[in-house]
């Protein structure tokens, strides 16, 4: 069966510090990978998605970046964190099953980031 | 930007009640639909996909109305454990089939 891991589970960082969140998927090959952020009391905001190694699409311009160095590894980074970067960061994966638009997403446990 | 709208609630219902949520979407080219459940401070978990013909999973029934561009979730015989936020997701045709999440509907089931 497939599993998705995220770490760390919680993180407290000062403003201006760098960030690196990691996500890995097991039990599947060539997944689509996604990074979301959920601010307190808000909906899920898609940040980045990737359909393959080295292929990253950004949905929202900001001070974050993403990389996919391996098929089942997705990394979210920042050089300098802002207070507004606080939130619940979720990684998700999907596999195309029935053709266009039928992706089902499965989420990792998330990283709760607090920027002080 | 394409929108997916949900009533944030909260819907406050007694155990055993039947409750229904709707989710409207603005893009008529939407291709696939899902309901997720999210518990407080946890990741969303897939509840069920929504098929054109409607589908049922135990106490949960999902319906799709393409003409009016909404999906619905019906929960029968509500349990305390059903208390959560219910997110609808719409995948759009074209591009990379990016999912769009609604902000969620909060359900509180009380004794």
């Amino acid at each position: 069966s497939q599993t998705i891991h995220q770490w760390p589970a919680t993180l407290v960082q000062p403003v201006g510090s760098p960030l690196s969140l990691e996500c890995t998927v097991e039990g599947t090959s060539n997944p689509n990978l996604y990074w979301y952020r959920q601010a307190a009391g808000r909906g899920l905001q898609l940040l980045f998605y990737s359909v393959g190694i080295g292929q990253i699409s950004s949905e929202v311009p900001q001070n974050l970046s993403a990389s996919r160095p391996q098929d089942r590894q997705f990394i979210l980074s920042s050089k300098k964190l802002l207070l507004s970067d606080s939130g619940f960061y979720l990684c998700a994966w999907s596999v195309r099953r029935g053709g266009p638009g039928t992706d089902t997403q499965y989420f990792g446990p998330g990283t709760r980031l607090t920027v002080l | 930007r394409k929108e997916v709208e949900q009533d944030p609630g909260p819907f406050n219902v007694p155990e055993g009640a039947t409750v229904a949520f709707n989710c409207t979407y603005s893009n008529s080219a939407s291709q696939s639909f899902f309901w997720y459940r999210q518990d407080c401070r946890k990741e969303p978990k897939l509840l069920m996909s929504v098929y054109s013909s409607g589908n049922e999973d135990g106490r949960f029934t999902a319906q799709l109305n393409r003409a009016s561009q909404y999906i619905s979730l019906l929960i029968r015989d509500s349990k305390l454990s059903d208390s959560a936020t219910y997110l609808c997701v719409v995948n759009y045709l074209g591009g990379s089939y990016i999912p769009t999440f609604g902000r969620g509907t909060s359900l509180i089931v009380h004794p």
Side-chain angles (χ1 to χ4, degrees), chain A residues 18-97:
Chain A
L19 173 74
S20 181
L21 303 180
E22 190 162 342
C23 169
T24 59
V25 181
E26 296 177 355
T28 187
S29 297
N30 195 29
N32 293 337
L33 296 171
Y34 309 80
W35 276 113
Y36 290 87
R37 176 171 60 204
Q38 188 174 39
R42 304 288 297 277
L44 281 162
Q45 179 186 33
L46 179 63
L47 303 175
F48 301 94
Y49 67 92
S50 172
V51 299
I53 296 174
Q55 301 178 62
I56 309 294
S57 296
S58 174
E59 285 291 297
V60 182
Q62 55 209 319
N63 69 317
L64 299 171
S65 62
S67 62
R68 184 170 177 174
Q70 301 181 44
D71 180 43
R72 291 170 289 175
Q73 184 184 29
F74 206 21
I75 297 172
L76 183 69
S77 304
S78 174
K79 292 182 180 178
K80 287 186 177 182
L81 284 168
L82 307 173
L83 286 175
S84 57
D85 291 325
S86 293
F88 190 34
Y89 286 82
L90 291 155
C91 180
W93 72 273
S94 70
V95 175
R96 289 194 181 87
R97 295 187 183 279

Side-chain angles (χ1 to χ4, degrees), chain A residues 38 46 101 103 105 108 112, chain B residues 32 34 36 38 41 43 98:
Chain A
Q38 188 174 39
L46 179 63
D103 294 359
Q105 294 197 319
R112 199 161 297 278
Chain B
S32 57
F34 307 88
Y36 280 74
Q38 185 174 24
R41 301 179 69 82
E43 74 274 23
I98 298 304

